[in-house]
Amino acid sequence: MSDRVNVTVDGVAVEVDPGTTILQACEAAGVEIPRFCYHDRLSVAGNCRMCLVEVEKAPKPVASCAMPVAPDMVVNTQTDSVKSAREGVMEFLLINHPLDCPICDQGGECDLQDQALGYGVDSSRFDDNKRAVEEKEMGPLVKTVMTRCIHCTRCVRFATEVAGVPEIGAIGRGEDMEITTYLEASLESEMSGNVIDLCPVGALTSKPYAFTARPWELRKTETIDVMDAVGSNIRVDVRGREAMRIMPRDHDDVNEEWLSDKSRFVWDGLNTQRLDRPYIRVDGKLQATDWNTAFDAIAVRLDGGADKLAALAGDLVCTEGQFALKSVMEKLGSPHLDCRQDGAKLSGPRANYIFNTSIAGIEDADALILIGTNPRLEAAVLNARIRKRWLAGNFPIAAIGQPIDLTYDVDFIGAGPQTLSDLVDGKHGFADILAKAERPMLILGQGALARADGAAIFAQSLKLAEKTGMVHEAWNGFNVLHTAAARVGGMDVGFLPGADGRDRDAILAGCQSGDISTVILYGADEIDRDELGDAFVIYIGSHGDRGAHGADVILPAAAYTEKQAIYVNTEGRAQMTARAAFPPGDAREDWKIFRALSERLGVTLSFDTVDALRVAMFDQAPQLAKLDQVLSPTAPENVLESGSLNDEGFVSPITDYYFTNPIARASATMAACAEAKTQRTAAGAHVDGTGSNG
């Protein structure tokens, strides 16, 4: 006997699950239903009434978004009464709308325009003066034209339900009702930009993008974000060579349809402070040069051998580039290389360094322990997924680290390694909660791993996972949350110390002692120049940031929007970017730089094309060939010498969300966001929170 419900929509019979709304049943039957307030990922409000349909035996049209189907229900969506009702609703909704499409930044992409054409009327019976509403201050990201607002409350529900920062709401009643931030202040959420996509009428638009371009002027490219390790699917819109905006794309298993503010608004950083030609340092000053001269300077430096050569890879570099540089280092005979520029103590099988549960798998967990991580700043979209699971109920969460507001209730049970040891020894009550859970999970952050005792913390975390049954045939709850988009890919291709090779800490120590005389910084901008001592520094990257400032030779490379390359997100999902624009000036794709350099150094690499490079790379790391797949994880293993724990508390590596990488630091929009946050803090506003919801 089937549990499905039979529904007839415009004469078409469909079967749907119990609890399905009439609107969803209509879509299953291939019938489009107009809507403004309804959204698949938000709660049902039922206040715009645009989705009215006729149900057999019902006395009047019903709101299809709010009514569930019943067995043998007959629905009609094309009758005269439905048409008349929709036209009336549309006329009412637009009663105060200025209808200023020519000057609206949503013009050409507006739900209102589409639905007014399809379901509205061409005139209005309203002759009185239209209501005008003052604009609201929502910070440097969201521009408001609140006279356009139709009170659909999508922004209100998003802020409350998804972002977990209930700052947007309605004040007033009747004609005086307005949507606003309660304190007329900048939005605090790292997800605030999503209200722009949600607004169906142009009341909320992008402030940095305002009046800069029209959608039909832009070339749209679907690609992958690298501002964090989530690997959000995005669309980059370009005019000429300049990036004009970044939008989210749907991917239910990664970012759903959300995007963090840094990923969305960093686009202006792609156009500024770019390296567009090679440079060499002469008499203490950087001078522009050509590629051959730059390569000659490197060749002269390495003429005496590569035993004192080391390489460090940064946070935004691609997997192909790391594989090419590793191949050059191998041919030169240097084992000193590391992709862990923060010094994270990670190694061993793949299960040791990925988010084994998967991002979507968070919704299946029934208990969570956070260790040395602040997912709200380190991976805002992933944090929204945790909040989504928490809202579903029966999801206890504990954390070891700094008390902060993560937008959901968290029991902060301690500050550092001692609490972790107590959990392992069963001295804390949350250990029992984890042990009793069917699908417990652990998230280990870089704030715990990028320390001197990171290996010992990893070992303790693994013991906790083993003792509480986090890893078994049907479930793997041991997770590492990365902050760098390049990290998993680098570890997959083995951009790690070889036999007798130095890791990041040992390389820096070698620079101080003179054992390392030449360092290649491949996009590694978080290394202090003083830590490199008197070493000769070769920098390959896209922006004139910290790495370039202290370099002796600079080779300009492409940014993530200017190349087709593979990035692997924190859950081990390989995804390929697409070229949205060409690199500026003489800048080149990363792998081409290393291929040309290898030829000049007399150690020519075996591949001449990116396809040949990938064949060699896939031979070493076959999982990278399986694009957009999360492979079944194995069990993690402790392969490092643990050492001893210290008493320091865990601190997130992200101290300023808006300035975590060279592209973000080049962005004027990110600078404005950082300034707005500083002003809120100075005014005594609630910024970091208490660690609970509110």
mmCIF file of all heavy atoms in Angstrom, residues 92-123:
data_model
loop_
_atom_site.group_PDB
_atom_site.id
_atom_site.type_symbol
_atom_site.label_atom_id
_atom_site.label_comp_id
_atom_site.label_asym_id
_atom_site.label_seq_id
_atom_site.Cartn_x
_atom_site.Cartn_y
_atom_site.Cartn_z
ATOM 1 N N PHE A 92 -2.660 45.218 -6.011
ATOM 2 C CA PHE A 92 -2.561 45.648 -4.615
ATOM 3 C C PHE A 92 -1.102 45.730 -4.163
ATOM 4 O O PHE A 92 -0.694 46.687 -3.508
ATOM 5 C CB PHE A 92 -3.338 44.690 -3.719
ATOM 6 C CG PHE A 92 -3.296 45.054 -2.269
ATOM 7 C CD1 PHE A 92 -4.036 46.110 -1.777
ATOM 8 C CD2 PHE A 92 -2.497 44.343 -1.389
ATOM 9 C CE1 PHE A 92 -3.981 46.450 -0.436
ATOM 10 C CE2 PHE A 92 -2.434 44.666 -0.053
ATOM 11 C CZ PHE A 92 -3.185 45.735 0.433
ATOM 12 N N LEU A 93 -0.291 44.732 -4.521
ATOM 13 C CA LEU A 93 1.112 44.725 -4.112
ATOM 14 C C LEU A 93 1.873 45.906 -4.688
ATOM 15 O O LEU A 93 2.800 46.428 -4.069
ATOM 16 C CB LEU A 93 1.784 43.420 -4.545
ATOM 17 C CG LEU A 93 1.373 42.144 -3.802
ATOM 18 C CD1 LEU A 93 2.052 40.935 -4.431
ATOM 19 C CD2 LEU A 93 1.728 42.224 -2.324
ATOM 20 N N LEU A 94 1.484 46.335 -5.876
ATOM 21 C CA LEU A 94 2.193 47.422 -6.544
ATOM 22 C C LEU A 94 1.591 48.784 -6.258
ATOM 23 O O LEU A 94 1.975 49.764 -6.886
ATOM 24 C CB LEU A 94 2.219 47.175 -8.053
ATOM 25 C CG LEU A 94 2.928 45.905 -8.531
ATOM 26 C CD1 LEU A 94 2.921 45.830 -10.048
ATOM 27 C CD2 LEU A 94 4.358 45.885 -8.027
ATOM 28 N N ILE A 95 0.702 48.870 -5.301
ATOM 29 C CA ILE A 95 -0.042 50.098 -5.070
ATOM 30 C C ILE A 95 0.879 51.254 -4.666
ATOM 31 O O ILE A 95 0.629 52.414 -4.995
ATOM 32 C CB ILE A 95 -1.158 49.863 -4.028
ATOM 33 C CG1 ILE A 95 -2.252 50.913 -4.151
ATOM 34 C CG2 ILE A 95 -0.611 49.803 -2.605
ATOM 35 C CD1 ILE A 95 -3.523 50.550 -3.396
ATOM 36 N N ASN A 96 1.988 50.907 -3.955
ATOM 37 C CA ASN A 96 2.939 51.937 -3.554
ATOM 38 C C ASN A 96 4.294 51.807 -4.231
ATOM 39 O O ASN A 96 5.190 52.611 -3.998
ATOM 40 C CB ASN A 96 3.139 51.911 -2.031
ATOM 41 C CG ASN A 96 1.942 52.430 -1.276
ATOM 42 O OD1 ASN A 96 1.474 53.550 -1.511
ATOM 43 N ND2 ASN A 96 1.417 51.618 -0.367
ATOM 44 N N HIS A 97 4.489 50.788 -5.036
ATOM 45 C CA HIS A 97 5.773 50.577 -5.706
ATOM 46 C C HIS A 97 6.022 51.682 -6.726
ATOM 47 O O HIS A 97 5.143 52.019 -7.513
ATOM 48 C CB HIS A 97 5.786 49.218 -6.397
ATOM 49 C CG HIS A 97 7.152 48.725 -6.755
ATOM 50 N ND1 HIS A 97 7.917 49.299 -7.743
ATOM 51 C CD2 HIS A 97 7.914 47.722 -6.249
ATOM 52 C CE1 HIS A 97 9.081 48.661 -7.838
ATOM 53 N NE2 HIS A 97 9.096 47.692 -6.942
ATOM 54 N N PRO A 98 7.217 52.298 -6.731
ATOM 55 C CA PRO A 98 7.473 53.416 -7.655
ATOM 56 C C PRO A 98 7.571 53.000 -9.114
ATOM 57 O O PRO A 98 7.584 53.865 -9.996
ATOM 58 C CB PRO A 98 8.808 53.982 -7.160
ATOM 59 C CG PRO A 98 9.476 52.838 -6.475
ATOM 60 C CD PRO A 98 8.366 52.045 -5.847
ATOM 61 N N LEU A 99 7.671 51.695 -9.405
ATOM 62 C CA LEU A 99 7.786 51.198 -10.776
ATOM 63 C C LEU A 99 8.942 51.894 -11.517
ATOM 64 O O LEU A 99 8.814 52.322 -12.670
ATOM 65 C CB LEU A 99 6.464 51.381 -11.532
ATOM 66 C CG LEU A 99 5.236 50.725 -10.882
ATOM 67 C CD1 LEU A 99 3.985 51.040 -11.667
ATOM 68 C CD2 LEU A 99 5.431 49.229 -10.730
ATOM 69 N N ASP A 100 10.089 51.961 -10.834
ATOM 70 C CA ASP A 100 11.249 52.673 -11.369
ATOM 71 C C ASP A 100 12.271 51.698 -11.949
ATOM 72 O O ASP A 100 13.480 51.820 -11.704
ATOM 73 C CB ASP A 100 11.890 53.536 -10.277
ATOM 74 C CG ASP A 100 12.243 52.734 -9.022
ATOM 75 O OD1 ASP A 100 11.757 51.589 -8.878
ATOM 76 O OD2 ASP A 100 13.004 53.247 -8.175
ATOM 77 N N CYS A 101 11.797 50.763 -12.743
ATOM 78 C CA CYS A 101 12.665 49.730 -13.304
ATOM 79 C C CYS A 101 13.900 50.275 -14.027
ATOM 80 O O CYS A 101 14.987 49.710 -13.899
ATOM 81 C CB CYS A 101 11.875 48.827 -14.246
ATOM 82 S SG CYS A 101 10.477 48.001 -13.427
ATOM 83 N N PRO A 102 13.803 51.367 -14.786
ATOM 84 C CA PRO A 102 14.999 51.829 -15.516
ATOM 85 C C PRO A 102 16.180 52.198 -14.627
ATOM 86 O O PRO A 102 17.321 52.148 -15.083
ATOM 87 C CB PRO A 102 14.490 53.052 -16.285
ATOM 88 C CG PRO A 102 13.028 52.808 -16.451
ATOM 89 C CD PRO A 102 12.600 52.137 -15.194
ATOM 90 N N ILE A 103 15.942 52.572 -13.378
ATOM 91 C CA ILE A 103 17.048 52.960 -12.504
ATOM 92 C C ILE A 103 17.281 51.946 -11.387
ATOM 93 O O ILE A 103 18.058 52.210 -10.473
ATOM 94 C CB ILE A 103 16.821 54.359 -11.895
ATOM 95 C CG1 ILE A 103 15.566 54.368 -11.006
ATOM 96 C CG2 ILE A 103 16.750 55.411 -12.971
ATOM 97 C CD1 ILE A 103 15.465 55.615 -10.144
ATOM 98 N N CYS A 104 16.656 50.803 -11.465
ATOM 99 C CA CYS A 104 16.794 49.781 -10.431
ATOM 100 C C CYS A 104 17.877 48.802 -10.828
ATOM 101 O O CYS A 104 17.936 48.334 -11.973
ATOM 102 C CB CYS A 104 15.474 49.038 -10.211
ATOM 103 S SG CYS A 104 15.585 47.698 -8.983
ATOM 104 N N ASP A 105 18.741 48.447 -9.884
ATOM 105 C CA ASP A 105 19.817 47.517 -10.179
ATOM 106 C C ASP A 105 19.329 46.096 -10.391
ATOM 107 O O ASP A 105 20.096 45.249 -10.834
ATOM 108 C CB ASP A 105 20.864 47.542 -9.053
ATOM 109 C CG ASP A 105 21.879 48.658 -9.254
ATOM 110 O OD1 ASP A 105 22.334 48.842 -10.384
ATOM 111 O OD2 ASP A 105 22.198 49.354 -8.287
ATOM 112 N N GLN A 106 18.093 45.816 -10.038
ATOM 113 C CA GLN A 106 17.543 44.507 -10.337
ATOM 114 C C GLN A 106 16.862 44.460 -11.697
ATOM 115 O O GLN A 106 16.333 43.409 -12.090
ATOM 116 C CB GLN A 106 16.551 44.083 -9.248
ATOM 117 C CG GLN A 106 17.183 43.336 -8.119
ATOM 118 C CD GLN A 106 16.213 42.578 -7.246
ATOM 119 O OE1 GLN A 106 15.023 42.781 -7.308
ATOM 120 N NE2 GLN A 106 16.707 41.701 -6.409
ATOM 121 N N GLY A 107 16.848 45.587 -12.398
ATOM 122 C CA GLY A 107 16.222 45.620 -13.715
ATOM 123 C C GLY A 107 16.833 44.599 -14.650
ATOM 124 O O GLY A 107 18.047 44.519 -14.812
ATOM 125 N N GLY A 108 15.991 43.802 -15.256
ATOM 126 C CA GLY A 108 16.451 42.731 -16.131
ATOM 127 C C GLY A 108 16.592 41.394 -15.438
ATOM 128 O O GLY A 108 16.741 40.361 -16.100
ATOM 129 N N GLU A 109 16.590 41.377 -14.098
ATOM 130 C CA GLU A 109 16.713 40.140 -13.342
ATOM 131 C C GLU A 109 15.672 40.064 -12.236
ATOM 132 O O GLU A 109 15.836 39.326 -11.271
ATOM 133 C CB GLU A 109 18.104 40.049 -12.711
ATOM 134 C CG GLU A 109 19.252 40.067 -13.682
ATOM 135 C CD GLU A 109 20.595 40.121 -12.995
ATOM 136 O OE1 GLU A 109 20.768 40.920 -12.062
ATOM 137 O OE2 GLU A 109 21.484 39.359 -13.406
ATOM 138 N N CYS A 110 14.595 40.775 -12.371
ATOM 139 C CA CYS A 110 13.643 40.983 -11.282
ATOM 140 C C CYS A 110 12.445 40.035 -11.370
ATOM 141 O O CYS A 110 11.808 39.924 -12.420
ATOM 142 C CB CYS A 110 13.167 42.426 -11.314
ATOM 143 S SG CYS A 110 12.036 42.862 -9.964
ATOM 144 N N ASP A 111 12.153 39.369 -10.241
ATOM 145 C CA ASP A 111 10.966 38.520 -10.174
ATOM 146 C C ASP A 111 9.699 39.321 -10.418
ATOM 147 O O ASP A 111 8.758 38.843 -11.055
ATOM 148 C CB ASP A 111 10.879 37.846 -8.804
ATOM 149 C CG ASP A 111 11.965 36.825 -8.577
ATOM 150 O OD1 ASP A 111 12.587 36.404 -9.563
ATOM 151 O OD2 ASP A 111 12.208 36.447 -7.413
ATOM 152 N N LEU A 112 9.679 40.538 -9.913
ATOM 153 C CA LEU A 112 8.496 41.378 -10.059
ATOM 154 C C LEU A 112 8.217 41.674 -11.529
ATOM 155 O O LEU A 112 7.074 41.609 -11.980
ATOM 156 C CB LEU A 112 8.670 42.668 -9.268
ATOM 157 C CG LEU A 112 7.517 43.674 -9.363
ATOM 158 C CD1 LEU A 112 6.235 43.077 -8.807
ATOM 159 C CD2 LEU A 112 7.868 44.960 -8.615
ATOM 160 N N GLN A 113 9.247 42.005 -12.293
ATOM 161 C CA GLN A 113 9.055 42.286 -13.711
ATOM 162 C C GLN A 113 8.478 41.075 -14.430
ATOM 163 O O GLN A 113 7.525 41.187 -15.213
ATOM 164 C CB GLN A 113 10.385 42.680 -14.347
ATOM 165 C CG GLN A 113 10.878 44.069 -13.971
ATOM 166 C CD GLN A 113 12.198 44.397 -14.645
ATOM 167 O OE1 GLN A 113 13.082 43.554 -14.747
ATOM 168 N NE2 GLN A 113 12.330 45.627 -15.113
ATOM 169 N N ASP A 114 9.054 39.917 -14.162
ATOM 170 C CA ASP A 114 8.589 38.706 -14.834
ATOM 171 C C ASP A 114 7.146 38.381 -14.484
ATOM 172 O O ASP A 114 6.336 38.044 -15.365
ATOM 173 C CB ASP A 114 9.491 37.529 -14.450
ATOM 174 C CG ASP A 114 10.905 37.695 -14.951
ATOM 175 O OD1 ASP A 114 11.115 38.486 -15.903
ATOM 176 O OD2 ASP A 114 11.816 37.050 -14.394
ATOM 177 N N GLN A 115 6.826 38.478 -13.219
ATOM 178 C CA GLN A 115 5.492 38.079 -12.784
ATOM 179 C C GLN A 115 4.433 39.133 -13.115
ATOM 180 O O GLN A 115 3.276 38.804 -13.359
ATOM 181 C CB GLN A 115 5.497 37.755 -11.294
ATOM 182 C CG GLN A 115 6.384 36.553 -10.987
ATOM 183 C CD GLN A 115 6.200 36.028 -9.586
ATOM 184 O OE1 GLN A 115 5.100 35.794 -9.156
ATOM 185 N NE2 GLN A 115 7.288 35.836 -8.881
ATOM 186 N N ALA A 116 4.831 40.408 -13.124
ATOM 187 C CA ALA A 116 3.889 41.451 -13.523
ATOM 188 C C ALA A 116 3.500 41.281 -14.985
ATOM 189 O O ALA A 116 2.351 41.495 -15.372
ATOM 190 C CB ALA A 116 4.498 42.831 -13.288
ATOM 191 N N LEU A 117 4.458 40.871 -15.810
ATOM 192 C CA LEU A 117 4.176 40.631 -17.220
ATOM 193 C C LEU A 117 3.290 39.409 -17.395
ATOM 194 O O LEU A 117 2.359 39.415 -18.208
ATOM 195 C CB LEU A 117 5.488 40.451 -17.991
ATOM 196 C CG LEU A 117 5.361 40.154 -19.490
ATOM 197 C CD1 LEU A 117 4.731 41.340 -20.204
ATOM 198 C CD2 LEU A 117 6.720 39.816 -20.090
ATOM 199 N N GLY A 118 3.566 38.347 -16.650
ATOM 200 C CA GLY A 118 2.849 37.096 -16.842
ATOM 201 C C GLY A 118 1.495 37.028 -16.160
ATOM 202 O O GLY A 118 0.569 36.362 -16.654
ATOM 203 N N TYR A 119 1.358 37.715 -15.028
ATOM 204 C CA TYR A 119 0.151 37.523 -14.215
ATOM 205 C C TYR A 119 -0.514 38.824 -13.782
ATOM 206 O O TYR A 119 -1.540 38.789 -13.110
ATOM 207 C CB TYR A 119 0.498 36.701 -12.963
ATOM 208 C CG TYR A 119 1.186 35.410 -13.275
ATOM 209 C CD1 TYR A 119 2.564 35.287 -13.149
ATOM 210 C CD2 TYR A 119 0.476 34.297 -13.720
ATOM 211 C CE1 TYR A 119 3.211 34.102 -13.442
ATOM 212 C CE2 TYR A 119 1.110 33.113 -14.013
ATOM 213 C CZ TYR A 119 2.479 33.019 -13.876
ATOM 214 O OH TYR A 119 3.108 31.842 -14.168
ATOM 215 N N GLY A 120 0.055 39.976 -14.160
ATOM 216 C CA GLY A 120 -0.520 41.239 -13.723
ATOM 217 C C GLY A 120 -1.391 41.890 -14.783
ATOM 218 O O GLY A 120 -1.728 41.292 -15.802
ATOM 219 N N VAL A 121 -1.764 43.134 -14.504
ATOM 220 C CA VAL A 121 -2.545 43.933 -15.454
ATOM 221 C C VAL A 121 -1.704 45.131 -15.874
ATOM 222 O O VAL A 121 -0.706 45.463 -15.244
ATOM 223 C CB VAL A 121 -3.876 44.398 -14.833
ATOM 224 C CG1 VAL A 121 -4.807 43.223 -14.644
ATOM 225 C CG2 VAL A 121 -3.642 45.098 -13.495
ATOM 226 N N ASP A 122 -2.130 45.787 -16.927
ATOM 227 C CA ASP A 122 -1.321 46.872 -17.478
ATOM 228 C C ASP A 122 -1.709 48.242 -16.953
ATOM 229 O O ASP A 122 -1.270 49.265 -17.469
ATOM 230 C CB ASP A 122 -1.402 46.875 -19.010
ATOM 231 C CG ASP A 122 -2.827 47.067 -19.519
ATOM 232 O OD1 ASP A 122 -3.759 47.111 -18.680
ATOM 233 O OD2 ASP A 122 -3.013 47.148 -20.749
ATOM 234 N N SER A 123 -2.529 48.297 -15.931
ATOM 235 C CA SER A 123 -2.950 49.582 -15.391
ATOM 236 C C SER A 123 -3.283 49.434 -13.920
ATOM 237 O O SER A 123 -3.365 48.327 -13.388
ATOM 238 C CB SER A 123 -4.156 50.128 -16.161
ATOM 239 O OG SER A 123 -5.260 49.225 -16.039
#
